[in-house]
Amino acid sequence: MYPLVRDRPGTFKEQVIRSLRRKIEVDELHAIRDLSFRIEYGEVLGVIGDNGAGKSTLMKMVARVLPPTRGRMIVRGLVAPLIELGAGFNPELTATENVVLYGAILGRSPREMAERAGPIIDWAGLSEFADVAVRTFSSGMLARLGFSIVTDIDPDVLLVDEILSVGDQSFREKSRRRVRSVMERGAATILVSHDMELVQDLASRAIWLDKGCIRREGSPEEVIEAYTGGGV
């Protein structure tokens, strides 16, 4: 649940006065409600739904970025989140330095990441920019670097949120092959996408999320047909 403050005060003083007078209106936005599911290692769960359905909130909860307001989210093993790639980068550090930093955020040792920095940057196609501060990188370059760092590990849980559309056509194909390789090694994978063909191609099971609730769950074909056809 997210609190929504209506008519936000312009100053702290005004906020205190309104609070004392109880004039601050706070609504509750339930991005996720009464949702329950289980995913096993080696399974690929596709998550579809309209914008605002709660898909990104769900992924952040699984990634342990957001705690649930109520209930429990149990995640076992190392999580590789392919969501908001590059959000942990320091713009003043070089690509090589950010590989070490970002890897540490994901739980890997700095020494290990320093040893892997070369291959990681090379896979992203950014070798000539290894010693350049990432503040000069385009958003696509940042996403490619983040993608390469995250998928360099062998995770137990893989979270993919619309990131397979990053870069040009050749890089998209390259990234899909790498994600498929991680999946085939037995990671429990949650795939969020508006690309129905991608979900049908990669997922073994799917859920349709609507206003934070599961509207339909089953095979990708059944769920996609219900979602695109307005079924229940």
Side-chain angles (χ1 to χ4, degrees), residues 45-49 55 58 190-193 199 205-209:
L45 176 66
V47 181
I48 62 176
K55 303 186 298 298
L58 172 62
I190 301 179
L191 169 67
V192 168
S193 182
V199 173
R205 181 163 59 94
I207 60 175
W208 168 12
L209 208 58

Side-chain angles (χ1 to χ4, degrees), residues 29-46:
L29 171 63
H30 292 269
I32 297 290
R33 59 172 77 227
D34 302 324
L35 185 148
S36 179
F37 70 91
R38 180 186 180 95
I39 177 171
E40 304 289 346
Y41 293 122
E43 187 177 10
V44 181
L45 176 66

Side-chain angles (χ1 to χ4, degrees), residues 8-19 24:
R8 182 180 295 275
T11 65
F12 178 73
K13 179 180 178 180
E14 187 179 352
Q15 181 175 357
V16 172
I17 294 173
R18 290 192 184 188
S19 178
I24 295 179

Side-chain angles (χ1 to χ4, degrees), residues 116-169:
R116 292 294 305 158
I120 287 171
I121 294 172
D122 182 62
W123 194 91
L126 299 170
S127 295
E128 60 184 302
F129 303 102
D131 298 320
V132 176
V134 300
R135 69 172 181 273
T136 64
F137 285 19
S138 67
S139 58
M141 292 167 70
L142 289 173
R144 281 159 50 193
L145 181 59
F147 182 96
S148 185
I149 296 170
V150 173
T151 57
D152 187 66
I153 67 176
D154 194 6
D156 300 298
V157 181
L158 178 65
L159 308 178
V160 185
D161 188 356
E162 292 291 4
I163 205 61
L164 296 183
S165 59
V166 167
D168 55 28
Q169 183 63 33

Side-chain angles (χ1 to χ4, degrees), residues 16-224:
V16 172
I17 294 173
R18 290 192 184 188
S19 178
L20 292 174
R21 294 177 178 176
R22 297 183 179 181
K23 289 187 176 182
I24 295 179
E25 297 182 17
V26 180
D27 292 337
E28 296 181 349
L29 171 63
H30 292 269
I32 297 290
R33 59 172 77 227
D34 302 324
L35 185 148
S36 179
F37 70 91
R38 180 186 180 95
I39 177 171
E40 304 289 346
Y41 293 122
E43 187 177 10
V44 181
L45 176 66
V47 181
I48 62 176
D50 294 343
N51 292 330
K55 303 186 298 298
S56 293
T57 296
L58 172 62
M59 296 288 266
K60 290 175 182 177
M61 289 167 62
V62 179
R64 304 186 181 105
V65 174
L66 290 177
T69 308
R70 289 192 302 270
R72 294 186 302 165
M73 175 69 72
I74 301 173
V75 183
R76 296 184 174 92
L78 179 64
V79 179
L82 294 179
I83 54 179
E84 298 184 11
L85 293 176
F89 287 155
N90 184 325
E92 300 305 319
L93 299 182
T94 67
T96 300
E97 291 167 336
N98 270 292
V99 167
V100 178
L101 172 65
Y102 204 28
I105 292 174
L106 295 174
R108 300 180 69 180
S109 73
R111 176 177 295 181
E112 179 186 9
M113 293 307 299
E115 293 174 352
R116 292 294 305 158
I120 287 171
I121 294 172
D122 182 62
W123 194 91
L126 299 170
S127 295
E128 60 184 302
F129 303 102
D131 298 320
V132 176
V134 300
R135 69 172 181 273
T136 64
F137 285 19
S138 67
S139 58
M141 292 167 70
L142 289 173
R144 281 159 50 193
L145 181 59
F147 182 96
S148 185
I149 296 170
V150 173
T151 57
D152 187 66
I153 67 176
D154 194 6
D156 300 298
V157 181
L158 178 65
L159 308 178
V160 185
D161 188 356
E162 292 291 4
I163 205 61
L164 296 183
S165 59
V166 167
D168 55 28
Q169 183 63 33
S170 62
F171 188 82
R172 287 198 295 270
E173 291 299 324
K174 185 179 178 182
S175 61
R176 287 192 184 194
R177 288 196 298 270
R178 174 168 277 203
V179 168
R180 193 185 293 272
S181 173
V182 173
M183 292 175 177
E184 290 173 350
R185 290 199 295 269
T189 303
I190 301 179
L191 169 67
V192 168
S193 182
H194 290 288
D195 186 339
M196 298 299 111
E197 290 186 10
L198 180 66
V199 173
Q200 191 158 330
D201 180 39
L202 296 180
S204 52
R205 181 163 59 94
I207 60 175
W208 168 12
L209 208 58
D210 182 33
K211 297 179 181 178
C213 303
I214 295 179
R215 180 88 173 267
R216 184 72 176 264
E217 181 174 5
S219 70
E221 294 79 11
E222 293 171 345
V223 175
I224 290 172

